[in-house]
Amino acid sequence: MYKIRQIKYTANSVSIQVYKIENRKRVIVCHLGTARTDQEKLDLLTKAKQFIEKATKQIELFEQDASKQVLILDQTEFIGVRYMFLYEFLFRIIAEVGFDKIADQLLLDLIVIRMVEPSSKHRSIELLEEYFGKTHRRQQYYDLAPEWLKLKLQAETTTIEYAKKSYSFNFDLLFYDVTTLYFETFEEDELRKNGFSKDNKSQQPQILIALMVTKEGFPIAYEVYPGNTFEGHTIVPLIKKFIAQNGVKNFTVIADAAMISNENVLNLKQNNIDYIVGARLGNLNDKLITQISTALSGTDKKIIRIKTDKGYLICNFSSLRYRKDKHEMNKQVERAKKVINNPSKNKKLKFTKSNGEVLELNQQLIEKANRLLGIKGYYTSHEENTLDNQTIIDRYHELYKIEKAFRMSKSDLKTRPIFHYKEDPIKLHLLICFMALVVSKQIELKTEISIKNFIHECKKVTDARLINKITRQEVTIRANYTAKLEAIKAKFAC
């Protein structure tokens, strides 16, 4: 063990040495010098302690008293802060999911910074050094990126395995939806195509993203399609591919009304895939609408089941939904009347129809909509003895979880707009965003707070960077944890 020795020669001078005991003899390891003032003595003692820490890779067990701390701080220069606690916490969760086993350090760091401050890849590399002291060369990104493109299947498999372990996922229930991501350009190519935009960017090319999540909202798989792909054509191929890759036997997919068609229903049945999808009741014929309206007879929470060529049609009536639908319908009818009464605003709305060059109210459509007020419909392949009507409805209403995942990816992770122009960089961008979404969703499920609030709370714990003016060695001092952060840490057992 190293110790510090002070040798006083005169009243105004003292020598500082570092020594150790070997074979019961004192062995001088380092002579730091002789001090003639209190400040010089303090400087030499500081150097001696730094020497011992560097040689033994150990620090003192007990903190110094307050007066000595003030003196030491007087010898330091503040050079900035870093957020190493945030980095360490996020990296711990990334490792918990298992991504550290399939990705290299740069890719993992890009996932971290995507959650902390989404930006371009070049800017992300700069932020990694600024926030966490993690240095990467830009060329390293270009060298490694082609290999990362091969990780999509591994990333999905890792996520599925984690979902099995943490959420008892067994493939019996899966939520499916699609969204569009637009580009800041007006030029199309084989992947970037103009199409129906969910972001109201119909003049700009886009891609179509399909996402599958568990009943908890935990994402497990995704796929990329050209922007002009009809969303109803994506569900069957993707699910068949997913089933083949994972050897799934019992499977129920839940999706919105856009996914149902006679062709899709036939394909799902042929592949023994159960489904629960929304029904567009306005597309039904008058006879079936009359049958549904009469059977429900405006009775709150009443449910009926009708066999159709698209499977069983389950409908229920809600008085709360009725009031909401009635209010919306009245607003649309009033808007239609204003357009009809004002020829200068001669545009076609939902409840108008053209009679030559003149617009008039579509009374037939109004009457049809009036019969469907308060009624919601769902198609399913399940027999009532395997999944009852109320459970079907409850399962479908959980579809909001995938919409929540899309909102998280678009707002918190800034998935769009996309600034890449070639297919490989686009797919790599989506891979990073998917992996960041998985980690973000895990944080949200465990802490019950948004990823934005989680990052904000973790950023309160900063590491102050100080340079010792004497030794020129950098040291860090970490801020104390807040009570809220202590509660968050407890949920991750760290």
Side-chain angles (χ1 to χ4, degrees):
M1 178 181 292
Y2 293 95
K3 295 184 179 181
I4 298 174
R5 183 187 184 200
Q6 301 183 38
I7 308 170
K8 195 168 186 179
Y9 294 111
T10 66
N12 297 322
S13 68
V14 59
S15 292
I16 307 298
Q17 298 175 338
V18 175
Y19 73 95
K20 62 181 178 178
I21 302 298
E22 285 185 356
N23 299 323
R24 299 184 181 182
K25 293 182 180 180
R26 183 188 295 121
V27 178
I28 304 301
V29 178
C30 179
H31 180 80
L32 279 301
T34 301
R36 291 176 175 79
T37 65
D38 288 342
Q39 186 60 51
E40 288 178 354
K41 177 182 175 182
L42 185 58
D43 290 348
L44 291 175
L45 287 172
T46 300
K47 287 185 177 181
K49 290 172 183 176
Q50 295 281 357
F51 177 86
I52 294 173
E53 288 178 8
K54 188 173 182 180
T56 62
K57 294 184 171 50
Q58 293 181 347
I59 59 173
E60 290 186 344
L61 180 60
F62 300 102
E63 295 181 357
Q64 300 182 18
D65 60 56
S67 63
K68 290 183 179 177
Q69 284 185 19
V70 172
L71 288 172
I72 291 174
L73 288 175
D74 285 343
Q75 300 167 22
T76 60
E77 178 185 351
F78 176 75
I79 59 172
V81 297
R82 285 198 173 127
Y83 302 99
M84 291 310 298
F85 171 77
L86 171 60
Y87 178 86
E88 291 160 6
F89 206 160
L90 287 175
F91 204 88
R92 174 191 172 91
I93 302 167
I94 287 172
E96 181 182 297
V97 173
F99 287 152
D100 62 320
K101 296 180 177 63
I102 65 170
D104 59 44
Q105 190 62 50
L106 176 53
L107 179 54
L108 296 175
D109 284 350
L110 289 173
I111 295 169
V112 168
I113 204 66
R114 173 58 52 177
M115 290 184 281
V116 175
E117 188 170 324
S119 188
S120 68
K121 303 305 177 291
H122 288 173
R123 176 61 178 155
S124 294
I125 290 173
E126 293 173 357
L127 291 175
L128 282 167
E129 183 170 9
E130 180 182 337
Y131 289 172
F132 312 123
K134 302 296 178 181
T135 305
H136 299 284
R137 294 180 301 106
R138 287 187 179 183
Q139 188 57 44
Q140 185 183 8
Y141 168 76
Y142 293 113
D143 292 341
L144 295 173
E147 292 301 314
W148 294 345
L149 285 169
K150 304 172 185 177
L151 296 177
K152 178 180 180 294
L153 180 57
Q154 284 182 266
E156 291 175 336
T157 302
T158 300
T159 304
I160 290 169
E161 289 304 313
Y162 184 75
K164 289 179 183 177
K165 181 178 68 176
S166 298
Y167 301 107
S168 302
F169 175 60
N170 61 1
F171 301 99
D172 62 335
L173 204 63
L174 203 61
F175 294 84
Y176 179 92
D177 203 357
V178 300
T179 193
T180 54
L181 302 177
Y182 66 91
F183 293 79
E184 288 292 359
T185 181
F186 293 96
E187 297 180 8
E188 294 183 273
D189 54 33
E190 291 302 311
L191 183 63
R192 301 176 301 160
K193 296 282 189 180
N194 287 349
F196 174 74
S197 173
K198 296 177 183 284
D199 298 311
N200 296 318
K201 299 282 185 177
S202 57
Q203 301 302 313
Q204 292 170 247
Q206 63 183 20
I207 54 175
L208 189 74
I209 306 296
L211 183 67
M212 292 192 284
V213 305
T214 68
K215 59 179 178 290
E216 292 81 16
F218 191 72
I220 58 171
Y222 73 100
E223 195 55 79
V224 186
Y225 298 96
N228 61 351
T229 305
F230 172 58
E231 57 189 79
H233 293 164
T234 65
I235 184 168
V236 175
L238 181 55
I239 290 175
K240 286 173 65 176
K241 178 182 175 182
F242 182 83
I243 289 173
Q245 286 176 347
N246 296 281
V248 182
K249 294 182 179 179
N250 299 317
F251 188 95
T252 297
V253 62
I254 301 175
D256 67 18
M259 302 301 162
I260 194 66
S261 67
N262 290 331
E263 182 183 358
N264 279 350
V265 169
L266 180 61
N267 282 329
L268 290 170
K269 287 180 177 178
Q270 287 176 344
N271 290 277
N272 296 318
I273 301 171
D274 287 313
Y275 57 90
I276 300 171
V277 295
R280 289 177 171 166
L281 299 181
N283 294 339
L284 300 177
N285 59 56
D286 285 342
K287 181 179 178 181
L288 192 51
I289 290 175
T290 301
Q291 179 186 349
I292 293 168
S293 179
T294 303
L296 292 174
S297 62
T299 304
D300 194 29
K301 297 181 181 179
K302 186 174 182 180
I303 305 174
I304 61 170
R305 175 183 285 242
I306 302 171
K307 192 170 185 178
T308 73
D309 56 355
K310 292 183 179 178
Y312 291 103
L313 174 60
I314 297 170
C315 295
N316 74 326
F317 178 87
S318 164
S319 57
L320 183 65
R321 189 188 303 121
Y322 175 87
R323 291 192 293 272
K324 179 178 179 296
D325 290 349
K326 183 71 173 175
H327 176 71
E328 291 298 322
M329 177 180 163
N330 287 340
K331 284 202 305 183
Q332 289 177 324
V333 171
E334 287 303 314
R335 197 177 298 121
K337 287 179 179 179
K338 287 181 181 179
V339 169
I340 291 170
N341 294 329
N342 189 348
S344 64
K345 296 181 179 179
N346 194 13
K347 60 180 180 179
K348 192 172 181 180
L349 298 176
K350 180 177 180 180
F351 290 117
T352 63
K353 66 177 181 179
S354 298
N355 185 4
E357 295 184 358
V358 179
L359 283 180
E360 61 182 31
L361 280 178
N362 190 335
Q363 294 292 349
Q364 186 179 1
L365 185 58
I366 293 173
E367 192 275 331
K368 182 180 182 180
N370 197 53
R371 283 183 288 163
L372 290 173
L373 292 175
I375 301 174
K376 180 75 174 175
Y378 320 84
Y379 286 111
T380 184
S381 59
H382 283 285
E383 299 286 343
E384 192 167 6
N385 58 358
T386 59
L387 216 58
D388 63 77
N389 294 339
Q390 187 59 56
T391 302
I392 296 289
I393 295 172
D394 292 342
R395 289 284 183 266
Y396 182 83
H397 286 176
E398 291 175 350
L399 194 60
Y400 77 90
K401 292 176 181 177
I402 196 166
E403 295 168 354
K404 190 175 180 181
F406 276 136
R407 284 196 300 273
M408 181 188 290
S409 69
K410 289 184 176 183
S411 59
D412 296 323
L413 303 179
K414 299 287 190 299
T415 309
R416 56 94 167 107
I418 301 176
F419 295 95
H420 299 292
Y421 299 102
K422 295 183 180 180
E423 184 170 338
D424 283 353
I426 291 169
K427 289 185 174 180
L428 180 55
H429 169 72
L430 295 172
L431 173 65
I432 293 171
C433 289
F434 171 75
M435 296 171 82
L437 177 62
V438 170
V439 178
S440 299
K441 196 64 187 180
Q442 170 64 2
I443 291 170
E444 185 185 76
L445 289 171
K446 268 206 171 185
T447 64
E448 298 179 346
I449 63 174
S450 69
I451 182 63
K452 185 176 181 179
N453 287 337
F454 174 86
I455 298 294
H456 175 72
E457 198 64 33
C458 288
K459 272 189 170 182
K460 292 179 181 179
V461 180
T462 56
D463 289 327
R465 300 173 61 206
L466 306 171
I467 284 286
N468 190 302
K469 295 177 182 177
I470 302 166
T471 65
R472 305 311 298 171
Q473 183 174 353
E474 181 178 331
V475 295
T476 59
I477 300 176
R478 179 165 290 183
N480 294 327
Y481 302 138
T482 63
K484 187 174 181 180
L485 196 54
E486 289 285 8
I488 291 173
K489 285 175 61 188
K491 292 182 179 181
F492 286 93
C494 65

